[in-house]
Amino acid sequence: TIASVENQENGTIKAEGIGSTVVTYSTTYTDPDTKYTQKYSASYTLQVTEFVESIVCENVSVEMFTGERFFVDAVVHSLEGKKDYHLETSSQDSLKIDIVDKMITAVEAGEVVVNVISDNNASIRTALNITIKPFISAKEISLPKQVTILVGADTTLVASVIPANASYAEVSFLEKDDDIVTVTADGKIVGKTVGTSIVSASTKEGLQAQTMV
């Protein structure tokens, strides 16, 4: 027997053996006027495979900067027992990270392997590879002090983060008055009407610079 129907009403099926079988759902409809009864049915093939206990991480390779935190999200596939998990690492790697429950904090640059282990069965585990880079703070955003454009025209602001190898070198833009100009996240400005507006550029760290448009 590959599978059996445990509940006819809600369609609950219990897998009992490895292989494939055809499951058929059927119903009848009786027309209230003609009293004619029509039977409808539909079938699908159910494939039953062997269950393998495992633990799966959303990420198996992670890059972090020193000082950053990362929550390890994993799912334990188990028929019985607890489906929670914990984290372990070697004594040498433990110098580079702090682990509190499922949260990892990067302390020192380097390569780290963290084992994600099922609480129910220690043999069920997977490895999380972490690359930790030294955090380099941005000091300044280089941006034109003033830009002039025509109504209906567009231009793109170019912002440079100093130093160039800063950990958070990406810049996003935001306009103060979108009735005068609009700006996309990557710095494209479109003039809408005559006037003056301020466009701000900012980094993930909170560093800001402004341009008068």
Short mmCIF file of all heavy atoms in Angstrom, two decimals, residues 16-66:
data_model
loop_
_atom_site.label_atom_id
_atom_site.label_comp_id
_atom_site.label_asym_id
_atom_site.label_seq_id
_atom_site.Cartn_x
_atom_site.Cartn_y
_atom_site.Cartn_z
N GLU A 16 2.02 5.63 3.24
CA GLU A 16 2.33 4.38 3.93
C GLU A 16 3.51 3.64 3.32
O GLU A 16 4.15 2.84 3.99
CB GLU A 16 1.11 3.47 3.96
CG GLU A 16 -0.06 4.07 4.73
CD GLU A 16 -1.23 3.11 4.84
OE1 GLU A 16 -1.08 1.95 4.42
OE2 GLU A 16 -2.29 3.53 5.34
N GLY A 17 3.80 3.88 2.06
CA GLY A 17 4.90 3.18 1.42
C GLY A 17 5.52 4.04 0.33
O GLY A 17 4.97 5.06 -0.07
N ILE A 18 6.70 3.65 -0.13
CA ILE A 18 7.40 4.40 -1.15
C ILE A 18 6.91 3.98 -2.53
O ILE A 18 6.77 2.78 -2.82
CB ILE A 18 8.91 4.18 -1.03
CG1 ILE A 18 9.40 4.68 0.34
CG2 ILE A 18 9.66 4.87 -2.16
CD1 ILE A 18 10.84 4.33 0.63
N GLY A 19 6.63 4.96 -3.37
CA GLY A 19 6.15 4.67 -4.72
C GLY A 19 5.16 5.71 -5.17
O GLY A 19 5.06 6.80 -4.59
N SER A 20 4.40 5.40 -6.21
CA SER A 20 3.40 6.34 -6.72
C SER A 20 2.05 5.64 -6.82
O SER A 20 1.96 4.42 -7.02
CB SER A 20 3.82 6.89 -8.09
OG SER A 20 3.91 5.83 -9.03
N THR A 21 1.00 6.43 -6.65
CA THR A 21 -0.35 5.91 -6.76
C THR A 21 -1.24 7.01 -7.29
O THR A 21 -0.88 8.20 -7.25
CB THR A 21 -0.87 5.41 -5.39
OG1 THR A 21 -2.15 4.79 -5.57
CG2 THR A 21 -1.01 6.55 -4.40
N VAL A 22 -2.39 6.63 -7.81
CA VAL A 22 -3.33 7.60 -8.35
C VAL A 22 -4.44 7.85 -7.33
O VAL A 22 -5.05 6.90 -6.83
CB VAL A 22 -3.93 7.11 -9.68
CG1 VAL A 22 -4.99 8.10 -10.19
CG2 VAL A 22 -2.83 6.94 -10.72
N VAL A 23 -4.63 9.11 -7.01
CA VAL A 23 -5.70 9.51 -6.08
C VAL A 23 -6.81 10.15 -6.89
O VAL A 23 -6.56 11.04 -7.71
CB VAL A 23 -5.17 10.49 -5.02
CG1 VAL A 23 -6.29 10.93 -4.09
CG2 VAL A 23 -4.03 9.87 -4.24
N THR A 24 -8.03 9.69 -6.68
CA THR A 24 -9.18 10.20 -7.43
C THR A 24 -10.18 10.85 -6.47
O THR A 24 -10.52 10.27 -5.44
CB THR A 24 -9.88 9.07 -8.20
OG1 THR A 24 -8.95 8.47 -9.10
CG2 THR A 24 -11.07 9.62 -9.00
N TYR A 25 -10.58 12.06 -6.83
CA TYR A 25 -11.61 12.78 -6.08
C TYR A 25 -12.87 12.78 -6.93
O TYR A 25 -12.82 13.10 -8.12
CB TYR A 25 -11.17 14.21 -5.79
CG TYR A 25 -12.26 15.07 -5.18
CD1 TYR A 25 -12.55 14.99 -3.83
CD2 TYR A 25 -13.00 15.94 -5.97
CE1 TYR A 25 -13.55 15.77 -3.26
CE2 TYR A 25 -14.00 16.72 -5.41
CZ TYR A 25 -14.27 16.63 -4.06
OH TYR A 25 -15.27 17.38 -3.51
N SER A 26 -13.98 12.46 -6.33
CA SER A 26 -15.23 12.43 -7.09
C SER A 26 -16.36 13.06 -6.30
O SER A 26 -16.36 13.05 -5.06
CB SER A 26 -15.59 10.99 -7.48
OG SER A 26 -15.79 10.20 -6.31
N THR A 27 -17.31 13.61 -7.02
CA THR A 27 -18.49 14.20 -6.41
C THR A 27 -19.65 14.08 -7.38
O THR A 27 -19.45 13.79 -8.56
CB THR A 27 -18.24 15.69 -6.06
OG1 THR A 27 -19.36 16.21 -5.33
CG2 THR A 27 -18.05 16.52 -7.32
N THR A 28 -20.84 14.28 -6.89
CA THR A 28 -22.04 14.22 -7.74
C THR A 28 -22.84 15.50 -7.58
O THR A 28 -22.81 16.15 -6.52
CB THR A 28 -22.92 13.01 -7.38
OG1 THR A 28 -23.27 13.08 -5.98
CG2 THR A 28 -22.18 11.70 -7.65
N TYR A 29 -23.53 15.85 -8.64
CA TYR A 29 -24.39 17.02 -8.62
C TYR A 29 -25.75 16.64 -9.22
O TYR A 29 -25.81 16.04 -10.30
CB TYR A 29 -23.78 18.17 -9.42
CG TYR A 29 -24.73 19.33 -9.61
CD1 TYR A 29 -25.00 20.21 -8.57
CD2 TYR A 29 -25.37 19.53 -10.84
CE1 TYR A 29 -25.88 21.26 -8.74
CE2 TYR A 29 -26.25 20.59 -11.01
CZ TYR A 29 -26.51 21.45 -9.96
OH TYR A 29 -27.39 22.48 -10.12
N THR A 30 -26.80 16.98 -8.51
CA THR A 30 -28.16 16.70 -8.98
C THR A 30 -28.86 18.01 -9.30
O THR A 30 -28.99 18.88 -8.43
CB THR A 30 -28.97 15.92 -7.93
OG1 THR A 30 -28.30 14.69 -7.64
CG2 THR A 30 -30.37 15.62 -8.44
N ASP A 31 -29.30 18.15 -10.55
CA ASP A 31 -30.01 19.35 -10.96
C ASP A 31 -31.36 19.38 -10.25
O ASP A 31 -32.14 18.43 -10.33
CB ASP A 31 -30.22 19.34 -12.49
CG ASP A 31 -30.77 20.66 -12.97
OD1 ASP A 31 -31.94 20.96 -12.68
OD2 ASP A 31 -30.02 21.40 -13.65
N PRO A 32 -31.67 20.47 -9.54
CA PRO A 32 -32.92 20.52 -8.77
C PRO A 32 -34.17 20.52 -9.65
O PRO A 32 -35.26 20.15 -9.19
CB PRO A 32 -32.80 21.84 -7.99
CG PRO A 32 -31.82 22.66 -8.75
CD PRO A 32 -30.87 21.68 -9.37
N ASP A 33 -34.03 20.94 -10.89
CA ASP A 33 -35.20 20.99 -11.77
C ASP A 33 -35.43 19.66 -12.50
O ASP A 33 -36.54 19.11 -12.50
CB ASP A 33 -35.05 22.12 -12.79
CG ASP A 33 -34.98 23.48 -12.12
OD1 ASP A 33 -35.67 23.67 -11.09
OD2 ASP A 33 -34.22 24.34 -12.60
N THR A 34 -34.37 19.13 -13.11
CA THR A 34 -34.53 17.92 -13.92
C THR A 34 -34.31 16.65 -13.10
O THR A 34 -34.62 15.55 -13.56
CB THR A 34 -33.53 17.94 -15.08
OG1 THR A 34 -32.21 17.91 -14.54
CG2 THR A 34 -33.70 19.20 -15.92
N LYS A 35 -33.73 16.82 -11.90
CA LYS A 35 -33.38 15.69 -11.04
C LYS A 35 -32.32 14.79 -11.68
O LYS A 35 -32.08 13.68 -11.22
CB LYS A 35 -34.63 14.84 -10.72
CG LYS A 35 -35.79 15.62 -10.13
CD LYS A 35 -35.38 16.36 -8.86
CE LYS A 35 -36.59 17.12 -8.28
NZ LYS A 35 -36.20 17.91 -7.10
N TYR A 36 -31.68 15.30 -12.71
CA TYR A 36 -30.63 14.52 -13.37
C TYR A 36 -29.35 14.61 -12.54
O TYR A 36 -28.93 15.69 -12.13
CB TYR A 36 -30.39 15.05 -14.78
CG TYR A 36 -29.24 14.39 -15.51
CD1 TYR A 36 -29.38 13.11 -16.03
CD2 TYR A 36 -28.01 15.04 -15.64
CE1 TYR A 36 -28.33 12.48 -16.69
CE2 TYR A 36 -26.95 14.42 -16.29
CZ TYR A 36 -27.12 13.14 -16.82
OH TYR A 36 -26.07 12.54 -17.45
N THR A 37 -28.73 13.48 -12.29
CA THR A 37 -27.52 13.43 -11.48
C THR A 37 -26.30 13.18 -12.36
O THR A 37 -26.30 12.26 -13.18
CB THR A 37 -27.62 12.31 -10.43
OG1 THR A 37 -28.73 12.59 -9.55
CG2 THR A 37 -26.33 12.24 -9.60
N GLN A 38 -25.30 14.04 -12.17
CA GLN A 38 -24.06 13.93 -12.93
C GLN A 38 -22.90 13.71 -11.97
O GLN A 38 -22.79 14.37 -10.93
CB GLN A 38 -23.81 15.21 -13.74
CG GLN A 38 -22.53 15.21 -14.54
CD GLN A 38 -22.56 14.26 -15.72
OE1 GLN A 38 -23.57 14.17 -16.43
NE2 GLN A 38 -21.47 13.54 -15.92
N LYS A 39 -22.04 12.77 -12.32
CA LYS A 39 -20.87 12.49 -11.49
C LYS A 39 -19.64 13.15 -12.10
O LYS A 39 -19.43 13.06 -13.30
CB LYS A 39 -20.65 10.98 -11.37
CG LYS A 39 -19.49 10.61 -10.45
CD LYS A 39 -19.35 9.11 -10.31
CE LYS A 39 -18.20 8.76 -9.37
NZ LYS A 39 -18.05 7.28 -9.21
N TYR A 40 -18.84 13.80 -11.26
CA TYR A 40 -17.61 14.45 -11.69
C TYR A 40 -16.43 13.84 -10.92
O TYR A 40 -16.56 13.50 -9.74
CB TYR A 40 -17.66 15.95 -11.43
CG TYR A 40 -18.78 16.67 -12.16
CD1 TYR A 40 -20.02 16.86 -11.54
CD2 TYR A 40 -18.59 17.15 -13.45
CE1 TYR A 40 -21.04 17.51 -12.20
CE2 TYR A 40 -19.62 17.80 -14.12
CZ TYR A 40 -20.83 17.98 -13.50
OH TYR A 40 -21.85 18.62 -14.15
N SER A 41 -15.33 13.73 -11.58
CA SER A 41 -14.15 13.19 -10.90
C SER A 41 -12.87 13.81 -11.47
O SER A 41 -12.85 14.28 -12.61
CB SER A 41 -14.10 11.67 -11.02
OG SER A 41 -13.95 11.28 -12.38
N ALA A 42 -11.85 13.80 -10.66
CA ALA A 42 -10.53 14.29 -11.08
C ALA A 42 -9.48 13.43 -10.39
O ALA A 42 -9.67 12.99 -9.25
CB ALA A 42 -10.35 15.76 -10.72
N SER A 43 -8.36 13.21 -11.07
CA SER A 43 -7.32 12.35 -10.52
C SER A 43 -5.96 13.03 -10.60
O SER A 43 -5.73 13.90 -11.44
CB SER A 43 -7.27 11.02 -11.29
OG SER A 43 -8.49 10.32 -11.20
N TYR A 44 -5.09 12.65 -9.69
CA TYR A 44 -3.71 13.11 -9.76
C TYR A 44 -2.80 11.99 -9.24
O TYR A 44 -3.24 11.09 -8.51
CB TYR A 44 -3.49 14.39 -8.96
CG TYR A 44 -3.64 14.25 -7.46
CD1 TYR A 44 -2.54 13.97 -6.66
CD2 TYR A 44 -4.88 14.42 -6.86
CE1 TYR A 44 -2.68 13.85 -5.29
CE2 TYR A 44 -5.02 14.30 -5.48
CZ TYR A 44 -3.93 14.01 -4.71
OH TYR A 44 -4.07 13.89 -3.35
N THR A 45 -1.56 12.06 -9.65
CA THR A 45 -0.60 11.04 -9.23
C THR A 45 0.14 11.53 -8.00
O THR A 45 0.71 12.62 -7.98
CB THR A 45 0.41 10.74 -10.36
OG1 THR A 45 -0.30 10.26 -11.50
CG2 THR A 45 1.42 9.70 -9.91
N LEU A 46 0.10 10.72 -6.95
CA LEU A 46 0.79 11.03 -5.70
C LEU A 46 2.09 10.24 -5.63
O LEU A 46 2.09 9.01 -5.74
CB LEU A 46 -0.10 10.68 -4.50
CG LEU A 46 0.52 10.85 -3.11
CD1 LEU A 46 0.75 12.32 -2.82
CD2 LEU A 46 -0.37 10.22 -2.05
N GLN A 47 3.19 10.95 -5.47
CA GLN A 47 4.50 10.31 -5.37
C GLN A 47 4.95 10.34 -3.92
O GLN A 47 5.03 11.40 -3.30
CB GLN A 47 5.52 11.04 -6.25
CG GLN A 47 6.89 10.39 -6.31
CD GLN A 47 6.89 9.11 -7.16
OE1 GLN A 47 6.18 9.05 -8.15
NE2 GLN A 47 7.66 8.13 -6.74
N VAL A 48 5.23 9.19 -3.34
CA VAL A 48 5.68 9.09 -1.96
C VAL A 48 7.15 8.69 -1.96
O VAL A 48 7.52 7.67 -2.55
CB VAL A 48 4.85 8.06 -1.16
CG1 VAL A 48 5.34 8.00 0.29
CG2 VAL A 48 3.37 8.41 -1.21
N THR A 49 7.97 9.50 -1.33
CA THR A 49 9.41 9.21 -1.26
C THR A 49 9.81 9.01 0.19
O THR A 49 9.05 9.31 1.12
CB THR A 49 10.23 10.36 -1.86
OG1 THR A 49 9.94 11.57 -1.15
CG2 THR A 49 9.89 10.57 -3.32
N GLU A 50 11.01 8.51 0.38
CA GLU A 50 11.50 8.27 1.74
C GLU A 50 11.79 9.58 2.43
O GLU A 50 12.41 10.50 1.87
CB GLU A 50 12.77 7.42 1.69
CG GLU A 50 13.32 7.06 3.07
CD GLU A 50 14.56 6.19 2.98
OE1 GLU A 50 15.03 5.95 1.85
OE2 GLU A 50 15.05 5.78 4.03
N PHE A 51 11.32 9.71 3.67
CA PHE A 51 11.56 10.92 4.44
C PHE A 51 12.98 10.94 4.97
O PHE A 51 13.46 9.95 5.53
CB PHE A 51 10.58 11.03 5.61
CG PHE A 51 10.77 12.26 6.45
CD1 PHE A 51 10.21 13.47 6.06
CD2 PHE A 51 11.54 12.23 7.59
CE1 PHE A 51 10.40 14.62 6.82
CE2 PHE A 51 11.73 13.37 8.36
CZ PHE A 51 11.16 14.56 7.96
N VAL A 52 13.66 12.04 4.75
CA VAL A 52 15.04 12.20 5.23
C VAL A 52 15.07 13.37 6.20
O VAL A 52 14.74 14.50 5.83
CB VAL A 52 16.02 12.44 4.06
CG1 VAL A 52 17.42 12.63 4.59
CG2 VAL A 52 15.97 11.28 3.08
N GLU A 53 15.43 13.08 7.44
CA GLU A 53 15.54 14.16 8.41
C GLU A 53 16.67 15.10 7.99
O GLU A 53 17.76 14.64 7.59
CB GLU A 53 15.80 13.61 9.80
CG GLU A 53 14.59 12.90 10.40
CD GLU A 53 14.80 12.57 11.87
OE1 GLU A 53 15.80 11.89 12.16
OE2 GLU A 53 13.98 13.00 12.68
N SER A 54 16.42 16.38 8.09
CA SER A 54 17.43 17.34 7.66
C SER A 54 17.18 18.68 8.34
O SER A 54 16.14 18.91 8.96
CB SER A 54 17.39 17.52 6.13
OG SER A 54 16.13 18.06 5.73
N ILE A 55 18.13 19.56 8.20
CA ILE A 55 17.99 20.94 8.66
C ILE A 55 18.46 21.83 7.52
O ILE A 55 19.51 21.61 6.93
CB ILE A 55 18.78 21.18 9.96
CG1 ILE A 55 18.54 22.60 10.48
CG2 ILE A 55 20.26 20.91 9.79
CD1 ILE A 55 18.99 22.78 11.92
N VAL A 56 17.64 22.81 7.21
CA VAL A 56 17.90 23.67 6.05
C VAL A 56 17.98 25.12 6.51
O VAL A 56 17.07 25.63 7.17
CB VAL A 56 16.80 23.52 4.98
CG1 VAL A 56 17.08 24.45 3.80
CG2 VAL A 56 16.69 22.07 4.52
N CYS A 57 19.08 25.79 6.15
CA CYS A 57 19.26 27.21 6.45
C CYS A 57 18.82 28.05 5.26
O CYS A 57 19.01 27.66 4.11
CB CYS A 57 20.72 27.52 6.75
SG CYS A 57 21.25 27.06 8.39
N GLU A 58 18.24 29.20 5.56
CA GLU A 58 17.87 30.13 4.50
C GLU A 58 19.12 30.60 3.76
O GLU A 58 19.11 30.79 2.56
CB GLU A 58 17.11 31.32 5.08
CG GLU A 58 16.61 32.29 4.03
CD GLU A 58 15.80 33.43 4.63
OE1 GLU A 58 15.54 33.41 5.85
OE2 GLU A 58 15.42 34.34 3.88
N ASN A 59 20.22 30.79 4.49
CA ASN A 59 21.50 31.15 3.90
C ASN A 59 22.56 30.17 4.37
O ASN A 59 22.62 29.83 5.54
CB ASN A 59 21.92 32.57 4.31
CG ASN A 59 20.90 33.62 3.93
OD1 ASN A 59 20.02 33.94 4.72
ND2 ASN A 59 21.01 34.16 2.75
N VAL A 60 23.39 29.70 3.45
CA VAL A 60 24.50 28.81 3.83
C VAL A 60 25.84 29.51 3.71
O VAL A 60 26.86 28.99 4.15
CB VAL A 60 24.50 27.52 2.98
CG1 VAL A 60 23.27 26.70 3.26
CG2 VAL A 60 24.60 27.85 1.49
N SER A 61 25.84 30.70 3.12
CA SER A 61 27.05 31.49 2.99
C SER A 61 26.70 32.95 3.24
O SER A 61 25.80 33.50 2.60
CB SER A 61 27.66 31.32 1.59
OG SER A 61 28.86 32.05 1.47
N VAL A 62 27.38 33.56 4.19
CA VAL A 62 27.04 34.92 4.62
C VAL A 62 28.29 35.78 4.69
O VAL A 62 29.34 35.31 5.13
CB VAL A 62 26.35 34.89 6.02
CG1 VAL A 62 26.06 36.30 6.50
CG2 VAL A 62 25.07 34.07 5.97
N GLU A 63 28.16 37.01 4.23
CA GLU A 63 29.23 38.00 4.40
C GLU A 63 28.79 39.04 5.42
O GLU A 63 27.67 39.55 5.35
CB GLU A 63 29.56 38.68 3.07
CG GLU A 63 30.32 37.80 2.10
CD GLU A 63 30.86 38.57 0.90
OE1 GLU A 63 30.60 39.79 0.82
OE2 GLU A 63 31.55 37.96 0.07
N MET A 64 29.67 39.35 6.35
CA MET A 64 29.36 40.31 7.40
C MET A 64 30.52 41.27 7.58
O MET A 64 31.67 40.95 7.23
CB MET A 64 29.08 39.60 8.73
CG MET A 64 27.96 38.59 8.70
SD MET A 64 27.79 37.71 10.29
CE MET A 64 27.24 39.04 11.38
N PHE A 65 30.21 42.42 8.16
CA PHE A 65 31.25 43.35 8.60
C PHE A 65 31.35 43.24 10.13
O PHE A 65 30.38 42.90 10.80
CB PHE A 65 30.92 44.79 8.20
CG PHE A 65 30.94 45.03 6.72
CD1 PHE A 65 29.77 45.33 6.03
CD2 PHE A 65 32.13 44.97 6.01
CE1 PHE A 65 29.79 45.55 4.67
CE2 PHE A 65 32.15 45.19 4.65
CZ PHE A 65 30.99 45.48 3.97
N THR A 66 32.53 43.52 10.66
CA THR A 66 32.69 43.50 12.11
C THR A 66 31.68 44.47 12.74
O THR A 66 31.47 45.58 12.26
CB THR A 66 34.11 43.92 12.51
OG1 THR A 66 34.46 45.16 11.85
CG2 THR A 66 35.13 42.86 12.11
#
